[in-house]
Amino acid sequence: MSVPHKKVYGLIGFPLTHSFSMNYFNNMFESENIDAEYVNFAIPEIDALKNVLSDNPNLAGLNVTIPYKEQVIPYMDEMDDEAALIGAVNVIKIIRGKNGEIRLKGFNSDAMGFQNSIAPLINAKRNRALILGTGGASKAVNRALINLGVEPVYVSRTPADGQLSYDDLTPEVMASHKVIVNCTPLGMYPNVDRCPDIPYDLLTPEHLCYDLIYNPDVTTFMKKSRANGAEVKNGLEMLLLQAFESWNIWNS
């Protein structure tokens, strides 16, 4: 349980060994003399969110990471328009009433963070994208790419209508989709040797391969992409941009 007088913020997900958010926020609180703390809540089931809320009466806001960005939605009392449109929540604002009741409002800062991070790397040839994975983060990426005028398509091991399978990544598809975004957890610490199963030999210097993972800072996906000439970027800048937006949401 937290120190009674401090505002508490935190992160829910499972596992959380990969996350830098706690260090980022606690360093910010220390450097700016903010009387608050940021705590990791590694919950094995989303229903444990109820315990997190009841055990931490000073909790003012939460970030949400894998695998709960979609599962958390039924727990929201209210949804921001953008989060509702995306269909995923990565920021929860906890609104406390005078009688001790709480309301949870869901937001999505991933889309803004990703959009601002990738925008400088988009050009006329990078006008179509492959989104690897179909989880909550991929929905924010899809929204951001559309905002930037890039036509996205999902790639999944079990594709739904309108999506591609990994077997569909033919030379023609790879040549026409110059942006590839890894939204899967493959390659995340501690399983750093894993990567999505795409035809890396079909990549060129015109391709941009963006990995939402930031731990490790150079993933196997990035290494194999760069070895074949592609431009690469990890998700650290996106993390920082969305964290800054989270703070604004919690304090608005």
Side-chain angles (χ1 to χ4, degrees), residues 63-64 69-70 73 79-92 105-114 135-141 143-144 238 242 245-246 249:
N63 288 125
V64 185
K69 293 183 181 184
E70 295 167 295
I73 290 176
M79 291 277 284
D80 173 71
D81 290 344
E82 183 78 353
L85 181 64
I86 292 168
V89 165
N90 78 302
V91 184
I92 300 171
K105 184 172 181 178
F107 295 81
N108 192 298
S109 65
D110 278 339
M112 180 281 300
F114 176 76
S138 72
K139 293 184 174 183
V141 166
R143 172 69 174 165
M238 173 185 171
Q242 71 83 19
E245 180 62 18
S246 297
I249 290 168

Side-chain angles (χ1 to χ4, degrees), residues 114-239:
F114 176 76
Q115 182 173 324
N116 290 346
S117 176
I118 200 172
L121 305 178
I122 298 299
N123 57 40
K125 292 182 178 180
R126 294 171 175 172
N127 61 357
R128 300 177 79 186
L130 300 173
I131 301 176
L132 309 182
T134 56
S138 72
K139 293 184 174 183
V141 166
N142 183 74
R143 172 69 174 165
L145 290 170
I146 291 172
N147 289 344
L148 292 170
V150 178
E151 180 184 342
V153 61
Y154 289 107
V155 182
S156 173
R157 292 174 296 175
T158 55
D161 289 344
Q163 300 178 354
L164 301 178
S165 72
Y166 285 88
D167 291 336
D168 293 327
L169 301 183
T170 63
E172 293 76 19
V173 170
M174 294 295 288
S176 61
H177 293 76
K178 294 297 199 316
V179 178
I180 303 174
V181 185
N182 178 33
C183 300
T184 79
L186 293 172
M188 182 184 296
Y189 178 86
N191 301 309
V192 298
D193 294 330
R194 303 184 68 191
C195 64
D197 185 18
I198 67 169
Y200 293 91
D201 60 315
L202 299 178
L203 296 173
T204 70
E206 293 182 351
H207 282 87
L208 167 64
C209 293
Y210 190 114
D211 202 331
L212 297 196
I213 294 170
Y214 53 85
N215 184 11
D217 58 351
V218 181
T219 63
T220 298
F221 169 76
M222 293 168 63
K223 290 176 184 176
K224 295 180 75 167
S225 299
R226 187 161 56 193
N228 286 279
E231 184 175 6
V232 300
K233 186 178 179 72
N234 72 11
L236 183 59
E237 183 181 41
M238 173 185 171
L239 169 76

